[in-house]
Amino acid sequence: MKDETKAAHLGRHPERFAGNVNTPVFRASTILSADMAEWEKKKKDRAQEKPGSYYGLNGGPTKHLLEEALAEIEGGYKCQIYPSGLAACVIPILGYVKSGDHILVPDCVYGPTRKFCDSQLKRFGVETTYYDPLIGAGIAALMRPNTRLVFVESPGSLTFEIQDIPAIAEVAHKHQAVVMMDNTWGTPLYFKPFEHGVDVSIQATTKYIVGHSDVIMGSVTCTKEAWPQLKAVTSDFGQTAAPDDCYLAARGLRTMALRLPRHWESGVALAEWIARQPEVEKVLHPALPGDPGHALWKRDFKGACGLFGVVMKPMPTKARDVIIDSTKLYGLGASWGGYESLIMPFEPREIRSATRWPHEGPCFRIHAGLEHIDDLIADMDQAFTRMRASL
Ligand SMILES: *Cc1c(COP(=O)(O)O)cnc(C)c1O
């Protein structure tokens, strides 16, 4: 089955739910057993990981069928839903490390993931080394006998570097380290982590899977070998998500394969238009042929989402702010992956330690939504005109 067909069909079993096309919302804390025989059977089934609902914390069919669909579409063994993308990024790390261990994290990692490594992980005696996201096989030089986990995020949060994940994974596996990836930008459709050596793949489901800016959720999918630790850490930390939210995520999944090509196409068209403006130093978008990550993106990815960065030539920050304040179709807000376009300032210099950000000018990030591209470009055009008038 192709991904479009999978997105429409996976995780749906109408025959179990009176013919309902969608898995209904099952709200539950307590799930009753009829008698002691059923109680004992459920206990045994659960120990053997047979499908079923045993207690609300572990989730009911609405959550389990979403997990089933996400695992299959991303190409992994099994999936666990988390209450946020951030929880999905950080809690699983704890399943693979112990006090005295060392992990490697790219300098371009999602900011709150970095904060977790510098605070909680450090407190538990796990050391983090940040590495240049472009390091590739050179990561061998940073591996230590106690390096248990190599985190990757490609393209990087805010700065959009593409990592050579197969090269990094090969080195990590030689050292028996687990490769964990934040695959939110690639989505389960445009980057297939398990075909490139990743062991544990994270989605901020909040973004394109939900797709409508109305749910916070994460998912973690892994290989069979990485499953026992993922399962244990998810349950030991009490991670779950509400069935209503799982219903909305499953509903988003159904149209994701249709939405993503539009985000991709509009993102590229907008990035190309912006790159032609004389005040722009650089557009950070791996699908553009001039981008340093373009060759790797072409080799490893099946597409691009609608998120990219813009670096202006040196100018007052206030002039960048005029662009942001003048757009009418781009909302000023965090997050992305919904149907609407967004714009947001960012400052890469503040969040790096292993590499130096070489640009002086102010930056902003764009999410290309599902609006018509002509309207998106016209709106950006008038915002650039206002910026020019302000200089
Ligand atoms: C948004 C995001 C997250 C966190 O997701 P939340 O659901 O907002 O907690 C993690 N990684 C990346 C790359 C993100 O963009």
Side-chain angles (χ1 to χ4, degrees), residues 228-239:
Q229 293 95 321
L230 176 63
K231 179 176 176 261
V233 79
T234 307
S235 129
D236 291 347
F237 280 90
Q239 298 301 291

Side-chain angles (χ1 to χ4, degrees), residues 129-153:
T129 299
Y130 294 99
Y131 65 89
D132 181 344
L134 304 179
I135 200 166
I139 201 151
L142 300 179
M143 299 296 297
R144 303 180 192 166
N146 61 340
T147 307
R148 292 273 60 86
L149 187 144
V150 178
F151 202 94
V152 291
E153 184 176 333

Side-chain angles (χ1 to χ4, degrees), residues 166-177:
I168 291 172
E170 195 184 331
V171 172
H173 290 155
K174 246 183 232 153
H175 289 79
Q176 277 82 49

